[in-house]
Amino acid sequence: MTRIISPSMLSADFGNLERDTKMIDSSAAEWVHIDVMDGVFVPNISFGFPVMKPIRKATQKVLDVHLMIVEPEKYVKRFVEAGADYVTFHYEATDDIDGCINAIREAGAKVGISIKPGTPTSVLKDILNKVDMVLIMSVEPGFGGQSFIDGSLDKIRSLAAMREEQGLEFIIEVDGGISASNAGEVFAAGAEALVAGSAVFGAADPQAEIVKMLEA
Ligand code: DX5
Ligand code: ZN
C-alpha cells in the first residue's frame, strides 16, 4: 500500500522558507502541502502566489495545493501556473464543481476535492469518478495545531468502500491533527496521503518524524 507524507508549509518558518523547503526536499516526504486561505471560506488568511514561488524553486517534489478559498474556479489556473501538481478545492466553496474540475484539468494539474468534518462522504458519490484525490479534513479548516477529530476514521473507511464499489483509484488524503501516534490507524483506515504540519515542523528532528509517520 502506498504511503505518502505531505508536510504542511503552514507550520514552516516563513522567514526561512527556502531552508525549510529544502529540508523537506531531502526528507522521505514525497509531497509538499500548501495551504491557501482567503479569510472568507475560513476565518484565517495564509498566503498566495508570491509565497508559492520560493517553495516551487526549492523543491522538485509534488506540490499539493489545498485551496480554502471561495470561488476557487476563478484562481485554479494561476495556481497551476505557479507550479501546483495537485489542486484541491472544497466541495463547500463553489457552486460550480464541474467547472472547477475542468479548469484544473485544462491547466494541466491533478484534481482534488475536499470535504470539511461536517460534510458527509455521500455528497461526493457522483463526483468521485472525475477526481484524482479526495481530501478528508480531520479538523475544521483554518488553523494548524488542532486535535484530530476521531469521527474522521469512519469517513475514511466509508470513502474507501465507495472507491472499491465504484472500481476507482483516486487517492485518499487526510489533513489535520496527524502525528506519528495516529498515522498508523489513519493509513489502516484506507488513506494513502497524510498531511502533517505542527507534528513535522514542531519536532526536534522533522526528517526523523516523517520516517516515524511512514512506519507508524
Ligand atoms: C488546516 C490546514 C492543514 C494544517 C494542518 O486548515 O489545511 O493543512 O496545516 O496542520 P496540523 O498538522 O498542525 O494539524
Ligand atoms: Zn491543508
Side-chain angles (χ1 to χ4, degrees):
M1 254 251 313
T2 313
R3 288 188 165 201
I4 294 165
I5 298 295
S6 191
S8 168
M9 299 308 289
L10 191 62
S11 295
D13 176 355
F14 287 4
N16 289 288
L17 210 44
E18 186 183 8
R19 179 201 67 189
D20 280 6
T21 308
K22 286 188 167 155
M23 182 275 290
I24 299 301
D25 191 62
S26 59
S27 78
E30 289 181 44
W31 292 6
V32 178
H33 188 79
I34 300 194
D35 287 303
V36 179
M37 304 177 182
D38 67 354
V40 180
F41 182 68
V42 289
N44 196 13
I45 296 176
S46 57
F47 52 76
F49 310 113
V51 176
M52 265 189 73
K53 257 197 201 156
I55 298 175
R56 179 70 290 177
K57 248 180 98 180
T59 183
Q60 299 297 315
K61 299 220 171 186
V62 170
L63 286 197
D64 164 35
V65 176
H66 176 195
L67 299 181
M68 287 160 275
I69 64 175
V70 295
E71 300 186 85
E73 58 278 6
K74 285 190 183 166
Y75 299 100
V76 290
K77 185 163 182 260
R78 287 188 62 194
F79 281 103
V80 178
E81 286 164 1
D85 296 293
Y86 279 83
V87 177
T88 298
F89 65 96
H90 269 266
Y91 171 83
E92 305 87 353
T94 177
D95 293 326
D96 187 10
I97 302 255
D98 281 333
C100 202
I101 291 173
N102 294 338
I104 297 169
R105 282 223 188 286
E106 273 162 29
K110 297 207 169 155
V111 178
I113 190 161
S114 182
I115 51 173
K116 299 206 280 185
T119 304
T121 51
S122 54
V123 301
L124 299 176
K125 191 170 161 281
D126 298 327
I127 304 173
L128 295 176
N129 62 349
K130 303 175 190 167
V131 300
D132 302 295
M133 176 158 83
V134 175
L135 169 56
I136 301 269
M137 286 306 299
S138 42
V139 299
E140 286 301 334
F143 302 90
Q146 305 179 72
S147 312
F148 185 86
I149 298 171
D150 280 321
S152 315
L153 289 172
D154 280 338
K155 288 177 77 175
I156 299 163
R157 289 185 200 109
S158 108
L159 184 62
M162 288 162 80
R163 176 170 62 181
E164 177 88 29
E165 263 165 44
Q166 296 192 28
L168 299 170
E169 290 190 333
F170 59 83
I171 290 172
I172 299 178
E173 184 178 47
V174 182
D175 183 4
I178 303 277
S179 67
S181 61
N182 60 13
E185 55 181 347
V186 181
F187 278 131
E192 287 85 26
L194 307 188
V195 177
S198 46
V200 169
F201 289 98
D205 183 344
Q207 294 186 337
E209 203 60 28
I210 290 166
V211 172
K212 258 196 215 165
M213 284 182 214
L214 284 169
E215 292 174 352

